[in-house]
Amino acid sequence: MLAAVTNPIHMRLFHRKIALFCGLIVLCVFVGQGVFFIRANSQTVDEATHLAAGYSYLTTRDFRLDPEHPPFIKELQVLPLWVIYKLPFRPDLQQWREADQEQIGLDFLYKSAIPADQILAWSRFTNLFLGVLLVTLIGWWAYRLWGILPAMLAMALACFEPNLVAHSALVTTDLGVALFIFLAVYLLWEYLQLPTWGRLAAVGVSTGLALAAKFSALFLVAALSGIFALLVIAGEPCALPSNKNRIDRWPKTAQAGTLFLIVLFVAFLTIFPVYFFQGIVPWVTGLREFLTHADTGHLSFFLGDYSYEGWWDYFGIAFLIKTPIGSLLLIAA
């Protein structure tokens, strides 16, 4: 009996069960915080617009509302409403022609057959599920890198990260794009451990879903190109999952460049079904709207000042304010 308990294999299995149990507790705590946040907070400024826009995509296949944010996350968030309630979408014709997304959003949220709180809750819970996936993925990658205890620490830090909790409980696109950016980089790491065509395709699909979630995911494309460049500089292997005798003859730059182009090609194809196979034009149109908005700006407030142009130090200071002190100390360490 003692030998069975002290057997290394049994001990590893026991430790993994304990880790799984602790991981489930952490996820339950994360969900609990999200549920409390959902119940305690009324509609925020962008949620009605995202709701109406996402619902209009599913019911009309028209992407005129809120084009400066790609549709994928918004479609996911309203999917329960579309499947369960089949709410009619009949905006005012004049508002629809003018793409008055703010008023259409408010009418959809507050003049539908079911209460606004119920509409918000269904969509917010869908986003909370994406948050659970992100926290789980953080724990899993940490486990693959360093083992059980670091994985528990990583999950705990993510679980109590105020930004993750808040954005997981709102009908916004920020949490969704964070999930798919993180997933794309993780899958690239997995591919480099064991190159297969399936893993390479998964990197491309997750990259495409990130680009279909928010236009700021274009930074992911730059990040992936930087990762491939660093692999070449460091002399790390980054070959295609083909006949190694043939591929190894290629220069490393050609191997990395081919991988990068394959990822972009798969990502490009992934965008099509999100727009119901209407081509790349709606995505490009939305990107143009996004860049126009970024160029003109909108009125913002920061540390007692107003501006249409923004501040160079905004995100750095916001990061320091919003991130828990314990996390900042660990990052510094």
Side-chain angles (χ1 to χ4, degrees), residues 9-23 143 148 152:
I9 296 177
H10 289 121
M11 289 299 294
R12 282 198 296 270
L13 291 174
F14 176 74
H15 289 156
R16 287 176 182 176
K17 289 179 181 179
I18 294 295
L20 180 60
F21 178 72
C22 293
Y143 171 74
I148 291 175
M152 293 297 98

Side-chain angles (χ1 to χ4, degrees), residues 22-80:
C22 293
L24 290 174
I25 291 177
V26 169
L27 290 177
C28 288
V29 172
F30 182 79
V31 171
Q33 293 178 97
V35 171
F36 178 81
F37 189 97
I38 289 170
R39 292 176 61 88
N41 286 271
S42 59
Q43 173 233 330
T44 58
V45 65
D46 290 330
E47 288 185 288
T49 297
H50 289 329
L51 281 166
Y55 205 82
S56 72
Y57 305 155
L58 295 182
T59 55
T60 69
R61 306 296 195 265
D62 191 308
F63 297 93
R64 72 180 67 189
L65 298 183
D66 197 28
E68 64 190 60
H69 297 287
F72 179 56
I73 300 301
K74 291 177 283 185
E75 291 169 350
L76 284 182
Q77 290 166 341
V78 300
L79 191 60

